Short mmCIF file of all heavy atoms in Angstrom, two decimals:
data_model
loop_
_atom_site.label_atom_id
_atom_site.label_comp_id
_atom_site.label_asym_id
_atom_site.label_seq_id
_atom_site.Cartn_x
_atom_site.Cartn_y
_atom_site.Cartn_z
N ILE A 211 100.10 113.71 103.13
CA ILE A 211 101.20 112.79 102.95
C ILE A 211 100.75 111.39 103.36
O ILE A 211 100.64 111.22 104.61
CB ILE A 211 102.52 113.20 103.77
CG1 ILE A 211 102.87 114.64 103.49
CG2 ILE A 211 103.62 112.23 103.52
CD1 ILE A 211 103.85 115.17 104.52
N PRO A 212 100.44 110.43 102.52
CA PRO A 212 99.77 109.15 102.95
C PRO A 212 100.86 108.34 103.74
O PRO A 212 101.94 108.60 103.67
CB PRO A 212 99.43 108.50 101.74
CG PRO A 212 99.55 109.53 100.57
CD PRO A 212 100.51 110.68 100.99
N PRO A 213 100.27 107.45 104.58
CA PRO A 213 101.12 106.55 105.40
C PRO A 213 101.98 105.68 104.47
O PRO A 213 101.40 105.31 103.35
CB PRO A 213 100.11 105.69 106.16
CG PRO A 213 98.83 106.41 106.03
CD PRO A 213 98.82 107.22 104.89
N VAL A 214 103.23 105.47 104.69
CA VAL A 214 104.03 104.69 103.75
C VAL A 214 103.50 103.37 103.35
O VAL A 214 103.72 102.84 102.30
CB VAL A 214 105.44 104.48 104.27
CG1 VAL A 214 106.38 105.72 103.77
CG2 VAL A 214 105.58 104.50 105.78
N GLU A 215 102.81 102.68 104.44
CA GLU A 215 102.55 101.24 104.16
C GLU A 215 101.17 101.06 103.42
O GLU A 215 100.76 100.05 103.22
CB GLU A 215 102.41 100.54 105.44
CG GLU A 215 103.73 100.50 106.32
CD GLU A 215 104.79 99.68 105.66
OE1 GLU A 215 104.51 98.60 105.07
OE2 GLU A 215 105.91 100.20 105.63
N GLU A 216 100.52 102.19 103.11
CA GLU A 216 99.07 102.13 102.58
C GLU A 216 99.10 102.55 101.20
O GLU A 216 99.92 103.27 100.63
CB GLU A 216 98.15 102.84 103.50
CG GLU A 216 97.89 102.22 104.83
CD GLU A 216 96.93 102.94 105.66
OE1 GLU A 216 96.12 103.64 105.20
OE2 GLU A 216 97.13 102.81 106.92
N GLU A 217 98.08 102.05 100.54
CA GLU A 217 97.81 102.44 99.06
C GLU A 217 97.47 103.91 99.05
O GLU A 217 96.48 104.35 99.58
CB GLU A 217 96.65 101.53 98.49
CG GLU A 217 96.15 102.07 97.13
CD GLU A 217 97.23 102.29 96.17
OE1 GLU A 217 98.08 101.40 95.96
OE2 GLU A 217 97.17 103.27 95.44
N PRO A 218 98.33 104.73 98.41
CA PRO A 218 98.18 106.14 98.47
C PRO A 218 96.80 106.60 97.74
O PRO A 218 96.26 107.62 98.28
CB PRO A 218 99.39 106.63 97.75
CG PRO A 218 99.97 105.56 97.04
CD PRO A 218 99.58 104.33 97.72
N SER A 219 96.39 105.89 96.84
CA SER A 219 95.13 106.35 96.11
C SER A 219 93.92 106.52 97.06
O SER A 219 93.21 107.41 96.80
CB SER A 219 94.75 105.31 94.98
OG SER A 219 95.78 105.32 94.10
N LEU A 220 93.81 105.63 98.08
CA LEU A 220 92.73 105.83 99.02
C LEU A 220 92.84 107.21 99.73
O LEU A 220 91.75 107.90 99.91
CB LEU A 220 92.83 104.67 100.14
CG LEU A 220 92.61 103.25 99.53
CD1 LEU A 220 92.93 102.27 100.71
CD2 LEU A 220 91.27 103.02 98.93
N HIS A 221 94.08 107.58 99.96
CA HIS A 221 94.28 108.87 100.80
C HIS A 221 94.05 110.09 99.77
O HIS A 221 93.49 111.10 100.11
CB HIS A 221 95.71 108.86 101.42
CG HIS A 221 95.74 107.81 102.40
ND1 HIS A 221 95.39 108.17 103.74
CD2 HIS A 221 96.02 106.50 102.39
CE1 HIS A 221 95.46 106.94 104.39
NE2 HIS A 221 95.92 105.89 103.60
N PHE A 222 94.54 109.86 98.48
CA PHE A 222 94.29 110.96 97.54
C PHE A 222 92.84 111.12 97.31
O PHE A 222 92.35 112.27 97.20
CB PHE A 222 94.97 110.61 96.28
CG PHE A 222 96.53 110.47 96.31
CD1 PHE A 222 97.23 109.61 95.36
CD2 PHE A 222 97.23 111.06 97.29
CE1 PHE A 222 98.61 109.50 95.54
CE2 PHE A 222 98.59 110.93 97.49
CZ PHE A 222 99.28 110.07 96.52
N ALA A 223 92.08 110.02 97.21
CA ALA A 223 90.59 110.20 96.95
C ALA A 223 89.97 110.80 98.18
O ALA A 223 89.05 111.62 97.95
CB ALA A 223 89.98 108.83 96.71
N LEU A 224 90.38 110.55 99.40
CA LEU A 224 89.89 111.08 100.60
C LEU A 224 90.02 112.65 100.59
O LEU A 224 89.21 113.52 100.84
CB LEU A 224 90.29 110.48 101.89
CG LEU A 224 89.94 111.10 103.14
CD1 LEU A 224 88.41 111.09 103.32
CD2 LEU A 224 90.57 110.40 104.38
N LEU A 225 91.32 112.95 100.27
CA LEU A 225 91.66 114.40 100.22
C LEU A 225 90.88 115.24 99.19
O LEU A 225 90.34 116.30 99.47
CB LEU A 225 93.13 114.58 100.00
CG LEU A 225 93.76 115.99 100.27
CD1 LEU A 225 93.82 116.18 101.72
CD2 LEU A 225 95.15 116.19 99.66
N ALA A 226 90.68 114.54 98.05
CA ALA A 226 89.87 115.16 96.95
C ALA A 226 88.42 115.28 97.28
O ALA A 226 87.84 116.40 97.05
CB ALA A 226 89.99 114.28 95.70
N LYS A 227 87.88 114.43 98.15
CA LYS A 227 86.54 114.47 98.55
C LYS A 227 86.36 115.64 99.56
O LYS A 227 85.38 116.42 99.42
CB LYS A 227 86.19 113.12 99.19
CG LYS A 227 84.67 112.98 99.60
CD LYS A 227 84.28 111.57 100.04
CE LYS A 227 83.81 111.56 101.39
NZ LYS A 227 83.69 110.15 102.01
N ILE A 228 87.23 115.77 100.41
CA ILE A 228 87.21 116.82 101.47
C ILE A 228 87.30 118.22 100.73
O ILE A 228 86.59 119.12 101.03
CB ILE A 228 88.24 116.79 102.53
CG1 ILE A 228 88.10 115.34 103.31
CG2 ILE A 228 88.20 117.82 103.52
CD1 ILE A 228 89.28 115.06 104.19
N ALA A 229 88.23 118.27 99.73
CA ALA A 229 88.41 119.60 99.03
C ALA A 229 87.12 119.89 98.33
O ALA A 229 86.70 121.07 98.35
CB ALA A 229 89.62 119.46 98.00
N LYS A 230 86.53 118.90 97.68
CA LYS A 230 85.32 119.17 96.77
C LYS A 230 84.27 119.68 97.62
O LYS A 230 83.56 120.73 97.30
CB LYS A 230 84.91 117.81 96.00
CG LYS A 230 83.76 118.01 95.14
CD LYS A 230 83.82 117.07 94.02
CE LYS A 230 82.79 117.33 92.93
NZ LYS A 230 81.75 116.41 92.92
N ARG A 231 83.91 119.05 98.78
CA ARG A 231 82.77 119.46 99.58
C ARG A 231 83.00 120.84 100.12
O ARG A 231 82.05 121.54 100.68
CB ARG A 231 82.36 118.36 100.61
CG ARG A 231 83.24 118.21 101.76
CD ARG A 231 82.70 117.26 102.82
NE ARG A 231 83.59 117.07 103.89
CZ ARG A 231 84.10 115.93 104.30
NH1 ARG A 231 83.79 114.89 103.72
NH2 ARG A 231 84.95 115.93 105.29
N ASN A 232 84.27 121.31 100.26
CA ASN A 232 84.59 122.59 100.75
C ASN A 232 84.83 123.66 99.62
O ASN A 232 85.31 124.78 99.92
CB ASN A 232 85.78 122.50 101.74
CG ASN A 232 85.36 121.91 103.10
OD1 ASN A 232 84.76 122.60 103.91
ND2 ASN A 232 85.62 120.63 103.29
N GLY A 233 84.63 123.24 98.47
CA GLY A 233 84.84 124.12 97.32
C GLY A 233 86.28 124.55 97.14
O GLY A 233 86.52 125.76 96.66
N LEU A 234 87.21 123.70 97.40
CA LEU A 234 88.63 124.05 97.19
C LEU A 234 89.18 123.33 95.99
O LEU A 234 89.00 122.21 95.77
CB LEU A 234 89.46 123.68 98.40
CG LEU A 234 89.32 124.36 99.67
CD1 LEU A 234 89.83 123.81 100.98
CD2 LEU A 234 89.80 125.85 99.53
N GLU A 235 89.91 124.08 95.16
CA GLU A 235 90.49 123.55 93.91
C GLU A 235 91.76 122.86 94.07
O GLU A 235 92.11 121.92 93.31
CB GLU A 235 90.63 124.77 92.96
CG GLU A 235 89.52 125.63 92.70
CD GLU A 235 88.80 125.37 91.43
OE1 GLU A 235 89.60 125.39 90.31
OE2 GLU A 235 87.64 125.17 91.43
N GLY A 236 92.62 123.38 95.02
CA GLY A 236 94.04 122.93 95.05
C GLY A 236 94.14 121.59 95.77
O GLY A 236 93.53 121.34 96.86
N LEU A 237 94.93 120.65 95.12
CA LEU A 237 95.16 119.37 95.80
C LEU A 237 96.71 119.08 95.68
O LEU A 237 97.27 118.84 94.55
CB LEU A 237 94.47 118.29 95.11
CG LEU A 237 92.99 118.16 95.34
CD1 LEU A 237 92.31 117.13 94.48
CD2 LEU A 237 92.76 117.79 96.86
N SER A 238 97.42 119.29 96.84
CA SER A 238 98.89 119.06 96.73
C SER A 238 99.10 117.60 97.29
O SER A 238 98.97 117.28 98.46
CB SER A 238 99.49 120.09 97.81
OG SER A 238 100.88 119.62 98.04
N MET A 239 99.36 116.75 96.39
CA MET A 239 99.45 115.31 96.78
C MET A 239 100.22 114.53 95.60
O MET A 239 100.18 114.87 94.39
CB MET A 239 98.05 114.62 97.03
CG MET A 239 97.08 114.69 95.79
SD MET A 239 95.40 114.29 96.30
CE MET A 239 94.67 113.84 94.75
N GLY A 240 100.98 113.53 96.08
CA GLY A 240 101.76 112.72 95.15
C GLY A 240 103.24 113.09 95.25
O GLY A 240 103.60 114.32 95.29
N MET A 241 104.07 112.00 95.37
CA MET A 241 105.53 112.20 95.46
C MET A 241 106.21 111.35 94.42
O MET A 241 105.55 110.76 93.56
CB MET A 241 106.06 111.93 96.90
CG MET A 241 105.05 112.48 97.93
SD MET A 241 105.54 112.70 99.64
CE MET A 241 106.80 111.51 99.98
N SER A 242 107.47 111.12 94.55
CA SER A 242 108.19 110.32 93.41
C SER A 242 107.68 109.01 93.24
O SER A 242 107.54 108.62 92.00
CB SER A 242 109.61 110.10 93.96
OG SER A 242 110.39 111.38 93.85
N SER A 243 107.07 108.38 94.18
CA SER A 243 106.71 106.93 94.00
C SER A 243 105.21 106.86 93.57
O SER A 243 104.76 105.72 93.17
CB SER A 243 106.84 106.19 95.30
OG SER A 243 106.20 106.82 96.31
N ASP A 244 104.53 107.88 93.66
CA ASP A 244 102.98 107.81 93.42
C ASP A 244 102.39 108.97 92.67
O ASP A 244 101.20 109.15 92.76
CB ASP A 244 102.35 107.50 94.71
CG ASP A 244 102.63 108.53 95.78
OD1 ASP A 244 102.88 109.73 95.45
OD2 ASP A 244 102.40 108.18 97.00
N PHE A 245 103.26 109.77 92.11
CA PHE A 245 102.58 111.07 91.41
C PHE A 245 101.63 110.80 90.34
O PHE A 245 100.69 111.52 90.26
CB PHE A 245 103.78 112.02 91.06
CG PHE A 245 104.61 111.62 89.93
CD1 PHE A 245 104.21 111.82 88.51
CD2 PHE A 245 105.81 110.94 90.12
CE1 PHE A 245 105.01 111.46 87.54
CE2 PHE A 245 106.58 110.53 89.12
CZ PHE A 245 106.21 110.79 87.82
N GLU A 246 101.77 109.70 89.61
CA GLU A 246 100.77 109.39 88.50
C GLU A 246 99.43 109.14 89.17
O GLU A 246 98.35 109.44 88.65
CB GLU A 246 101.31 108.33 87.62
CG GLU A 246 102.40 108.85 86.72
CD GLU A 246 103.47 107.86 86.42
OE1 GLU A 246 103.95 107.28 87.34
OE2 GLU A 246 103.75 107.64 85.20
N ARG A 247 99.47 108.34 90.24
CA ARG A 247 98.16 107.99 90.85
C ARG A 247 97.50 109.31 91.49
O ARG A 247 96.27 109.42 91.48
CB ARG A 247 98.46 106.96 92.03
CG ARG A 247 98.49 105.53 91.52
CD ARG A 247 98.86 104.58 92.58
NE ARG A 247 100.31 104.62 92.70
CZ ARG A 247 101.00 103.77 93.66
NH1 ARG A 247 100.20 103.01 94.41
NH2 ARG A 247 102.29 103.91 93.78
N ALA A 248 98.38 110.21 91.90
CA ALA A 248 97.82 111.47 92.40
C ALA A 248 97.20 112.32 91.24
O ALA A 248 96.11 112.84 91.45
CB ALA A 248 98.96 112.27 93.17
N VAL A 249 97.88 112.30 90.13
CA VAL A 249 97.31 113.03 88.93
C VAL A 249 95.93 112.43 88.61
O VAL A 249 94.98 113.16 88.35
CB VAL A 249 98.26 113.05 87.81
CG1 VAL A 249 97.66 113.51 86.48
CG2 VAL A 249 99.64 113.79 88.17
N ALA A 250 95.93 111.03 88.57
CA ALA A 250 94.58 110.44 88.29
C ALA A 250 93.53 110.85 89.17
O ALA A 250 92.39 110.93 88.72
CB ALA A 250 94.83 108.88 88.34
N LEU A 251 93.76 111.14 90.43
CA LEU A 251 92.77 111.55 91.31
C LEU A 251 92.65 113.10 91.58
O LEU A 251 92.04 113.58 92.48
CB LEU A 251 93.03 110.86 92.65
CG LEU A 251 92.77 109.34 92.59
CD1 LEU A 251 93.39 108.62 93.66
CD2 LEU A 251 91.22 109.11 92.56
N GLY A 252 93.30 113.90 90.62
CA GLY A 252 92.99 115.29 90.54
C GLY A 252 94.05 116.17 91.21
O GLY A 252 93.86 117.39 91.37
N ALA A 253 95.28 115.69 91.48
CA ALA A 253 96.35 116.54 92.06
C ALA A 253 96.55 117.80 91.18
O ALA A 253 96.58 117.67 89.94
CB ALA A 253 97.66 115.78 92.18
N THR A 254 96.56 118.95 91.83
CA THR A 254 96.96 120.13 91.11
C THR A 254 98.43 120.48 91.25
O THR A 254 99.06 121.11 90.52
CB THR A 254 96.17 121.35 91.56
OG1 THR A 254 96.37 121.53 92.93
CG2 THR A 254 94.70 121.22 91.27
N HIS A 255 99.07 119.78 92.36
CA HIS A 255 100.49 120.07 92.67
C HIS A 255 101.03 118.74 93.10
O HIS A 255 100.59 118.14 94.10
CB HIS A 255 100.67 121.11 93.81
CG HIS A 255 100.26 122.51 93.49
ND1 HIS A 255 98.93 122.84 93.30
CD2 HIS A 255 100.99 123.61 93.18
CE1 HIS A 255 98.82 124.12 92.95
NE2 HIS A 255 100.03 124.54 92.89
N VAL A 256 102.05 118.11 92.32
CA VAL A 256 102.63 116.95 92.84
C VAL A 256 104.10 117.47 93.35
O VAL A 256 104.65 118.35 92.75
CB VAL A 256 102.82 115.96 91.72
CG1 VAL A 256 101.48 115.24 91.43
CG2 VAL A 256 103.48 116.36 90.35
N ARG A 257 104.53 116.77 94.45
CA ARG A 257 105.85 117.21 95.03
C ARG A 257 106.81 116.11 94.82
O ARG A 257 106.82 115.09 95.51
CB ARG A 257 105.55 117.46 96.54
CG ARG A 257 104.34 118.27 96.72
CD ARG A 257 104.17 118.50 98.36
NE ARG A 257 104.10 117.12 99.02
CZ ARG A 257 102.97 116.50 99.26
NH1 ARG A 257 101.81 117.11 99.02
NH2 ARG A 257 103.01 115.37 99.90
N VAL A 258 107.71 116.30 93.85
CA VAL A 258 108.56 115.18 93.43
C VAL A 258 110.03 115.64 93.75
O VAL A 258 110.46 116.64 93.16
CB VAL A 258 108.42 114.84 91.92
CG1 VAL A 258 109.36 113.78 91.50
CG2 VAL A 258 106.94 114.53 91.71
N GLY A 259 110.67 114.81 94.58
CA GLY A 259 112.11 115.11 94.88
C GLY A 259 113.09 114.20 94.15
O GLY A 259 113.64 114.40 93.21
N SER A 260 113.23 113.00 94.87
CA SER A 260 114.30 112.03 94.50
C SER A 260 114.14 111.60 93.10
O SER A 260 115.27 111.35 92.41
CB SER A 260 114.36 110.90 95.45
OG SER A 260 113.13 110.42 95.83
N ALA A 261 113.01 111.43 92.47
CA ALA A 261 112.86 111.10 91.10
C ALA A 261 113.56 112.03 90.16
O ALA A 261 114.05 111.77 89.05
CB ALA A 261 111.45 110.77 90.71
N ILE A 262 113.58 113.28 90.52
CA ILE A 262 114.21 114.37 89.68
C ILE A 262 115.73 114.45 90.02
O ILE A 262 116.56 114.51 89.12
CB ILE A 262 113.54 115.70 89.91
CG1 ILE A 262 112.10 115.66 89.46
CG2 ILE A 262 114.32 116.83 89.16
CD1 ILE A 262 111.34 116.94 89.76
N PHE A 263 115.99 114.61 91.34
CA PHE A 263 117.31 115.03 91.71
C PHE A 263 118.25 113.90 92.14
O PHE A 263 119.40 114.02 92.26
CB PHE A 263 117.30 115.90 92.97
CG PHE A 263 116.61 117.25 92.76
CD1 PHE A 263 115.40 117.48 93.13
CD2 PHE A 263 117.34 118.32 92.15
CE1 PHE A 263 114.69 118.68 92.96
CE2 PHE A 263 116.76 119.46 91.93
CZ PHE A 263 115.47 119.82 92.32
N GLY A 264 117.66 112.63 92.31
CA GLY A 264 118.40 111.51 92.79
C GLY A 264 118.26 111.43 94.29
O GLY A 264 117.62 112.28 94.88
N ALA A 265 118.67 110.41 94.92
CA ALA A 265 118.50 110.18 96.37
C ALA A 265 119.13 111.31 97.12
O ALA A 265 120.09 111.92 96.72
CB ALA A 265 119.16 108.88 96.81
N ARG A 266 118.45 111.60 98.33
CA ARG A 266 119.04 112.64 99.14
C ARG A 266 120.09 112.01 100.01
O ARG A 266 119.88 110.93 100.61
CB ARG A 266 117.92 113.23 100.10
CG ARG A 266 116.97 114.22 99.29
CD ARG A 266 115.88 114.72 100.24
NE ARG A 266 114.93 113.72 100.58
CZ ARG A 266 113.92 113.34 99.78
NH1 ARG A 266 113.63 114.00 98.65
NH2 ARG A 266 113.04 112.41 100.13
N ASP A 267 121.19 112.76 100.11
CA ASP A 267 122.32 112.32 101.04
C ASP A 267 122.31 112.98 102.29
O ASP A 267 122.75 114.23 102.38
CB ASP A 267 123.64 112.47 100.21
CG ASP A 267 124.83 111.97 101.09
OD1 ASP A 267 124.59 111.49 102.25
OD2 ASP A 267 125.92 112.12 100.57
#
Side-chain angles (χ1 to χ4, degrees):
I211 308 171
V214 266
E215 300 294 321
E216 290 179 29
E217 169 51 47
S219 293
L220 301 172
H221 296 271
F222 298 155
L224 173 60
L225 196 72
K227 188 172 120 187
I228 298 171
K230 183 151 191 252
R231 71 171 180 240
N232 285 283
L234 287 169
E235 307 255 307
L237 286 171
S238 168
M239 58 191 199
M241 319 200 329
S242 290
S243 56
D244 54 24
F245 64 88
E246 286 145 308
R247 277 173 281 178
V249 172
L251 289 161
T254 58
H255 295 72
V256 291
R257 310 178 307 264
V258 180
S260 42
I262 296 175
F263 294 101
R266 285 178 289 275
D267 180 2

